[in-house]
Amino acid sequence: MLGICVEHFRFHCAAGQRLICIGSCCACVQRHIRSPGVYRHEACSLWPLNPVIGHLTQSDDRKFHAVLTKFTLVLGGCASGKSYFSEKLILSSSLSRIYIATAQAFDAEMDAKILRHQKMRGPHWRTCEAPFDIPSALKGVKTGEIVLIDCATMWLTNHILAEHDIDAQTDALILAIHACPAPVVIVSNEVGAGIVPENALARRFRNAQGRLNQQLAAEAACVIGVMAGLPFALKGALPDGVTP
């Protein structure tokens, strides 16, 4: 056991099921079962029951607003606490909270995982389902709100499986984030720390995720990494009140 989450794409074919390992993925994305015309997602079982983050204080909301006025990217591996940290970061703000969800549920296991996410977030969020079209969801955001997009990896996976133009979709996503009148925090998975995947689709996913993370990081005003529940600054500085 390598202690890492391994994604799998299973393709149903006439000869039976063929298992294709998508590679050693530090990001807890999802396992994807693909039938002709149907995508079914199985939630990864490696889910942190007791997520831990850096200490967030209720110091001065304006300090958080100053950091989040443009665009914040939060990166982390599987079960690193990145989503929990991002949610707590947004909860430290007095702005109205918008949650843009990119995962799709096709079975009871994924339904249960989404429910856990909802319970972890708590009330007082407006949720928008956007597995493909985040730009349209951002068009409805107004000044006085703050947005959490969770996560870029599921959004990317959805587009890869649908054989969409990833470059065009990424360009549209970045333009929409910059055009949004509210602060945006986007969560993404770091997948480049594992072994080289053994098949072409796995390598395509890994490389696409790496390129997406680099593009988002280049555009973000602040990039925060999360490892073992502890945040650290990759670009810019941690918001005041957040300590490892």
Side-chain angles (χ1 to χ4, degrees), residues 11-18 34-36:
F11 292 82
H12 290 230
C13 58
Q17 295 185 359
R18 179 186 176 195
R34 183 182 183 184
S35 299

Side-chain angles (χ1 to χ4, degrees), residues 210-223:
R211 287 193 299 271
L212 175 62
N213 286 346
Q214 291 182 54
Q215 289 173 283
L216 292 175
E219 299 292 334
C222 178
V223 181

Side-chain angles (χ1 to χ4, degrees), residues 183-197:
V184 174
V185 177
I186 186 167
V187 178
S188 192
N189 296 281
E190 176 52 57
V191 302
I195 62 174
V196 176

Side-chain angles (χ1 to χ4, degrees), residues 30-180:
Q30 292 172 346
R31 299 175 192 141
H32 303 267
I33 294 180
R34 183 182 183 184
S35 299
V38 177
Y39 297 120
R40 176 167 163 252
H41 301 246
E42 291 184 303
C44 177
S45 60
L46 299 179
W47 177 252
L49 297 179
N50 296 295
V52 180
I53 64 164
H55 301 294
L56 289 166
T57 64
Q58 298 294 328
S59 51
D60 183 352
D61 281 344
R62 289 172 296 177
K63 296 177 181 178
F64 288 96
H65 296 171
V67 174
L68 300 175
T69 48
K70 292 184 179 178
F71 172 24
T72 300
L73 171 64
V74 179
L75 288 169
C78 173
S80 62
K82 60 190 178 298
S83 292
Y84 191 74
F85 169 80
S86 300
E87 290 161 11
K88 291 298 183 182
L89 185 63
I90 286 186
L91 286 171
S92 70
S93 167
S94 60
L95 301 174
S96 298
R97 301 151 198 150
I98 311 297
Y99 186 92
I100 297 181
T102 60
Q104 300 183 83
F106 295 101
D107 58 25
E109 190 175 4
M110 192 59 194
D111 283 333
K113 181 176 179 179
I114 290 174
L115 182 60
R116 287 197 298 271
H117 264 283
Q118 292 170 343
K119 288 182 177 179
M120 186 172 70
R121 287 199 303 275
H124 312 304
W125 292 75
R126 178 166 67 86
T127 300
C128 299
E129 301 287 343
F132 293 98
D133 196 359
I134 294 176
S136 290
L138 289 175
K139 287 180 180 178
V141 176
K142 302 181 291 296
T143 302
E145 297 177 323
I146 187 167
V147 178
L148 175 59
I149 302 172
D150 196 358
C151 67
T153 299
M154 287 313 314
W155 171 86
L156 173 65
T157 301
N158 294 335
H159 282 295
I160 287 177
L161 290 175
E163 298 292 342
H164 291 165
D165 185 332
I166 303 302
D167 290 337
Q169 295 295 332
T170 300
D171 289 343
L173 172 63
I174 291 173
L175 286 174
I177 290 173
H178 283 309
C180 183

Side-chain angles (χ1 to χ4, degrees), residues 22 24 160 191-192 194-197 201-211:
I22 212 50
S24 296
I160 287 177
V191 302
I195 62 174
V196 176
L201 178 59
R203 293 189 293 273
R204 178 188 172 197
F205 167 77
R206 179 202 59 179
N207 293 341
Q209 181 68 77
R211 287 193 299 271

